[in-house]
Amino acid sequence: MATLLLFLFILGVLIIVHEFGHFIVAKRTGVLVEKFSIGFGPVILRRKKKDTEYCISAIPLGGYVKLAGDSLQEYTGKPNQYYAQAPGKRFHIIFFGPLLNYILGFLFFWLVFFIGYPSFTTKVGGLIDGFGAKEAGIKAGDMIAAIDGKKVSSWEEMQKIIQAKKKEEEVRLSVIRDSSELLVSVTIKEKEFPDQIGRMQSVGLIGIEPSEDLTKVRYGFTDSFLLGLRKTWDLTVITYQAFLRMLTGKLSMRETVTGPLGIFYITSKAASVGLVAVLHLMAVLSISLAIFNLMPFPVLDGGHIFFLLIEKLRGKPFGVRTEQLVSQVGFTLIICLALFVTYNDILRLFGDKIQNFFVK
């Protein structure tokens, strides 16, 4: 029950921030906001304030802001309607939703780096045969204090330095063993591993495994800000690269895309780790939501922006019938995608249990 409430809370925060972006810019532009809904379907709670009805609806997997005259069928030419605004103003209304999600994700990353997150210490937990560390005499229980004279305080920090090295290159490790400091030269060996989006990457290894000891890694206010920016940028780049690889068939959509069921499962795992893991999850989800919404597909914000661009080039909007057709196609695609990712999540999370059930 606690996980379900946390899941709904996370979705609620992301949805509210997104829809508030549309809402606040529409208000400032002078567009009448008729409804602000968290969720879809039957309304559970509603409250009318001035000209806007605020709702919580039964299906908490999204939300929407209903603007006056936001379809050509409803548009009557009143100045407070969506279609009465210039394309530039309509762009700002659409774009500000994903933008706020993007900013929120960055702020969460900034907070994670500032309050600190757990990482393995540099204590060696085990050794792998055939690699430089064992050949150089490194032992389980050794604490690596520095690499080539640079102090290291976490496994993550040490890993980045070593993995950037090339084959046959040597690193000089400062090792603490039984209160004594030893200097050990270790030869790097390269090995290929698939990265987050399935590309094979060659990394340097010395053949050590972490112990179970943990340390807290945290940064100052400014460093956390810069690391938050870097993390946001890296996530953006890797997301678009994954999308391009899916389009070209180099990456399976089945292995990459997850839906509400998968997010619920991830939320339960993050909750078991603690607050920092939940904040990190919210950062990733918020940025991913922003990027997904900016994809140039009908119904999504990116689709609306795409058609605004065409309208700007044509000098006039599309007709009513074209708008209706695009909306129908868009909703059909979104429903198909939702069904696909849900089916995929069920197979990925419960496939073995379902198979065993039928085999029995």
Side-chain angles (χ1 to χ4, degrees):
M1 185 63 181
T3 300
L4 177 60
L5 291 175
L6 178 61
F7 172 72
L8 295 176
F9 171 77
I10 290 173
L11 283 186
V13 169
L14 301 187
I15 293 165
I16 288 170
V17 167
H18 182 92
E19 299 305 334
F20 180 75
H22 298 313
F23 172 85
I24 193 65
V25 177
K27 285 278 192 182
R28 295 197 173 194
T29 307
V31 176
L32 172 64
V33 180
E34 297 176 344
K35 183 180 287 188
F36 186 118
S37 177
I38 306 303
F40 300 107
V43 175
I44 300 173
L45 294 172
R46 70 178 68 198
R47 183 182 177 186
K48 187 78 177 279
K49 187 176 181 181
K50 294 184 179 179
D51 296 319
T52 305
E53 183 179 61
Y54 300 88
C55 305
I56 297 177
S57 300
I59 305 172
L61 301 178
Y64 63 94
V65 170
K66 176 67 179 72
L67 306 178
D70 59 3
S71 70
L72 290 172
Q73 259 188 317
E74 297 179 3
Y75 177 53
T76 60
K78 293 181 180 178
N80 66 348
Q81 292 184 323
Y82 174 77
Y83 265 104
Q85 313 308 313
K89 290 184 177 180
R90 280 183 272 151
F91 167 80
H92 289 138
I93 293 171
I94 296 167
F95 181 69
F96 219 75
L99 178 62
L100 280 196
N101 274 134
Y102 204 75
I103 293 171
L104 180 69
F106 157 70
L107 291 175
F108 279 135
F109 277 139
W110 184 4
L111 185 59
V112 166
F113 285 115
F114 185 67
I115 66 177
Y117 58 91
S119 176
F120 291 116
T121 66
T122 59
K123 185 178 180 180
V124 178
L127 297 152
I128 303 172
D129 292 333
F131 284 88
K134 192 167 187 178
E135 294 169 0
I138 300 292
K139 296 181 180 180
D142 286 349
M143 183 74 75
I144 298 173
I147 302 173
D148 293 333
K150 182 180 180 180
K151 290 185 178 180
V152 288
S153 57
S154 71
W155 191 270
E156 177 186 40
E157 184 182 7
M158 178 177 67
Q159 194 175 42
K160 285 180 181 177
I161 296 172
I162 292 173
Q163 288 186 347
K165 302 290 183 179
K166 301 299 181 184
K167 184 179 180 181
E168 304 304 329
E169 191 174 347
E170 280 195 348
V171 287
R172 196 164 177 81
L173 304 183
S174 175
V175 178
I176 307 298
R177 181 188 298 167
D178 299 328
S179 302
S180 299
E181 184 174 359
L182 308 172
L183 293 177
V184 183
S185 293
V186 181
T187 302
I188 297 288
K189 290 189 178 182
E190 283 186 303
K191 190 171 181 179
E192 285 195 336
F193 292 96
D195 65 8
Q196 293 170 286
I197 56 176
R199 298 172 303 186
M200 297 305 294
Q201 300 287 333
S202 182
V203 298
L205 300 173
I206 61 174
I208 57 175
E209 297 174 337
S211 69
E212 295 182 355
D213 293 354
L214 294 174
T215 185
K216 190 172 186 178
V217 179
R218 66 183 305 271
Y219 299 88
F221 188 82
T222 303
D223 286 341
S224 297
F225 178 87
L226 296 174
L227 287 167
L229 284 177
R230 179 62 185 268
K231 185 77 172 178
T232 301
W233 172 253
D234 289 345
L235 178 58
T236 303
V237 170
I238 203 76
T239 301
Y240 278 111
Q241 288 175 339
F243 179 68
L244 290 174
R245 285 177 66 82
M246 281 191 288
L247 286 180
T248 55
K250 296 178 180 178
L251 184 65
S252 170
M253 188 175 178
R254 182 183 295 274
E255 297 173 0
T256 309
V257 179
T258 192
L261 189 60
I263 294 172
F264 177 79
Y265 178 78
I266 296 168
T267 300
S268 68
K269 294 294 183 182
S272 66
V273 174
L275 175 63
V276 171
V278 172
L279 292 174
H280 186 272
L281 173 63
M282 291 180 74
V284 171
L285 290 177
S286 194
I287 291 172
S288 299
L289 178 62
I291 293 172
F292 175 72
N293 263 285
L294 287 173
M295 295 293 181
F297 298 140
V299 180
L300 298 180
D301 293 331
H304 291 299
I305 291 172
F306 177 73
F307 285 109
L308 271 178
L309 177 62
I310 296 177
E311 178 185 333
K312 186 73 174 176
L313 294 174
R314 293 175 77 234
K316 61 179 181 179
F318 289 101
V320 175
R321 292 191 64 181
T322 303
E323 183 188 61
Q324 289 176 334
L325 178 61
V326 168
S327 295
Q328 289 170 359
V329 170
F331 277 118
T332 301
L333 288 174
I334 292 297
I335 290 170
C336 289
L337 178 62
L339 291 173
F340 171 79
V341 296
T342 301
Y343 172 75
N344 189 40
D345 284 344
I346 291 171
L347 286 184
R348 187 166 53 217
L349 299 175
F350 308 109
D352 293 339
K353 293 180 180 179
I354 294 171
Q355 186 178 22
N356 292 336
F357 175 80
F358 283 108
V359 168
K360 290 180 180 178

